[in-house]
Amino acid sequence: ETAQRMGIVLDDTTTVAELAIEWYNNRKAGLSLSRQGDYRNAINLHICPVIGAMRVRDVKPEHCQRVMAQAAELSYSAQQKIVSTLKQLFSCAVDNGLALRSPAEKIKAKGKKAEEKVALTKEQCAQLEVAVFGTRAYIFVMLGLYAGLRREEICGLRWCDIDLQAVPPRLTVNNAMRLVGSKAEFPAPLKSK
């Protein structure tokens, strides 16, 4: 009776996979390529293989927990992307009258914390510099080592980003290059300001 008063159709046959497709297609336009990939991976590799065929109205918190159990070996960051996607999907289901409550509201990411990255030592930097000296990779490696640029930022550099007349000479990172599958996309937005 409460559901009827609220206008929720409890006999809906929409599956989680159908909802995920609709939800993703309606949101992807405003998202970065990286974020789009995060959602696609969460949906295609983790959510739909476990609960995709289920009707949205039949999904219970334990089913969402099963999705997370399948992802138990993933890092905290990877699990957080799955949790975020689950929560947004089922929030959409509630907003659209496909469910009374979200079965994902109490799901949490637990995974392993990422290992701390260890920077190259001065000796390792010197060895790398010697190894690439005289090759096409030399400038690329120097920009990574001594300007701290990411590979996407180095590949996104243009001559107009370099001011050799400034004192001291200046390099500005304005664009990035992203690999989408096997294709390069330029210009691509920077990861951070």
Side-chain angles (χ1 to χ4, degrees), residues 86-191:
L86 275 170
K87 287 184 177 191
Q88 290 181 64
L89 272 177
F90 286 106
S91 176
C92 174
V94 170
D95 290 347
N96 286 282
L98 299 175
L100 279 172
R101 289 182 53 195
S102 168
E105 64 188 31
K106 293 183 179 177
I107 300 297
K108 291 187 177 12
K110 294 181 180 161
K112 301 175 252 177
K113 296 288 183 191
E115 291 181 25
E116 191 171 324
K117 293 181 172 66
V118 179
L120 296 177
T121 64
K122 287 182 181 182
E123 295 79 25
Q124 290 170 324
C125 289
Q127 288 176 336
L128 180 57
E129 192 172 337
V130 168
V132 297
F133 185 77
T135 69
R136 290 174 46 180
Y138 183 73
I139 292 175
F140 186 92
V141 170
M142 294 299 101
L143 286 168
L145 286 176
Y146 300 111
L149 301 183
R150 299 176 176 100
R151 68 177 178 190
E152 295 87 358
E153 295 167 340
I154 297 169
C155 291
L157 290 174
R158 297 176 296 174
W159 283 110
C160 62
D161 298 327
I162 301 167
D163 184 357
L164 297 175
Q165 304 307 314
V167 179
R170 181 176 33 238
L171 171 72
T172 308
V173 179
N174 296 307
N175 295 292
M177 183 277 306
R178 296 256 188 273
L179 287 177
V180 181
S182 61
K183 291 179 123 181
E185 178 191 284
F186 178 84
L190 296 171
K191 186 172 180 180

